[in-house]
Amino acid sequence: MTERSASPQPGGGLPDGLLAVRAAEGDEDSFAVLVQRHSQSLLTLARGMLGSPQDAEEAVQDAFLSAWRRLPEYRHAAEFRTWMYRITVNRCLTMRRRRPPPVPLSTVAEPATADAWTQPARSAEQDAATAALSHALAELDTGQRVCWILRELQGMPYKEIAHVTRTSEQTVRGRLFRARRSLQEAMGPWR
């Protein structure tokens, strides 16, 4: 286990690994703590991949349901968080294959500041920039988008991203480079 998973965390004070072992033994309260602890970051990931808050919620619910059923198979080779990211990414990819293209992402941009509401032109410009970024993200190759979301929105290290995406760190770095370059080109007019 890494230091992060061994240190006490909010929502139970126990490390994820111990909670996962207890949950695998049928302790629903331990699993509830894991759900509470990781739901928000998984929802952010799923929203970034699917573009729809409703689809994201469905994907995360399905991912947690799948995790609950598969807990006895969890071998702790990766942190619980990384394992959940992988399950969630796989669920999102399955949903993307089955559904029409996603609605533009509205959750990526920072919230508008108070004075933006008092300045309609600035607010409209921010909305347009957000829409442009959402469109640019939707145009990225799926692998690039997943890597970009995990790195830039979730702050995940390259090694964990490689584990979640089942690729090498070199592949992750390449995808991130191409994603950043594409986004930089797409957002050039907004600088």
Side-chain angles (χ1 to χ4, degrees), residues 151-172:
R151 180 68 182 167
E152 302 300 334
L153 298 182
Q154 301 292 327
M156 193 176 275
Y158 295 115
K159 185 175 183 176
E160 273 188 71
I161 296 170
H163 192 75
V164 167
T165 59
R166 295 182 184 193
T167 60
S168 68
E169 284 185 59
Q170 185 175 356
T171 300
V172 168

Side-chain angles (χ1 to χ4, degrees), residues 19 36-37 49 67 79 87 96 99 102 104 108 110 118 128 142 151 154 163 165 178 183 187:
L19 289 169
Q36 178 186 13
R37 193 176 284 172
M49 289 187 68
E79 290 184 40
I87 293 170
R96 283 180 58 86
R99 295 197 175 153
V108 176
E110 294 184 32
T118 60
T142 302
R151 180 68 182 167
Q154 301 292 327
H163 192 75
T165 59
R178 289 187 298 281
L183 292 174
M187 297 306 291

Side-chain angles (χ1 to χ4, degrees), residues 24 69-76 83:
R69 290 179 182 146
R70 294 172 45 199
L71 268 171
E73 301 168 22
Y74 175 56
R75 299 289 176 237
H76 307 277
W83 187 62

Side-chain angles (χ1 to χ4, degrees), residues 134-148:
S134 295
H135 179 72
L137 280 171
E139 293 296 314
L140 290 177
D141 160 279
T142 302
Q144 291 175 16
R145 186 180 321 109
V146 169
C147 289
W148 189 87

Side-chain angles (χ1 to χ4, degrees), residues 39-119:
S39 288
Q40 204 53 44
S41 61
L42 293 173
L43 277 169
T44 300
L45 167 67
R47 267 189 237 114
M49 289 187 68
L50 299 171
S52 160
Q54 296 82 10
D55 289 347
E57 287 180 23
E58 181 182 336
V60 171
Q61 279 183 337
D62 288 351
F64 276 121
L65 183 59
S66 176
W68 174 254
R69 290 179 182 146
R70 294 172 45 199
L71 268 171
E73 301 168 22
Y74 175 56
R75 299 289 176 237
H76 307 277
E79 290 184 40
F80 180 81
R81 173 181 100 139
T82 304
W83 187 62
M84 280 305 306
Y85 271 87
R86 182 184 304 159
I87 293 170
T88 304
V89 164
N90 288 340
R91 179 64 188 137
C92 289
L93 292 174
T94 299
M95 289 177 74
R96 283 180 58 86
R97 281 191 295 270
R98 292 183 183 162
R99 295 197 175 153
V103 175
L105 302 174
S106 61
T107 59
V108 176
E110 294 184 32
T113 59
D115 80 322
W117 293 109
T118 60
Q119 299 177 5

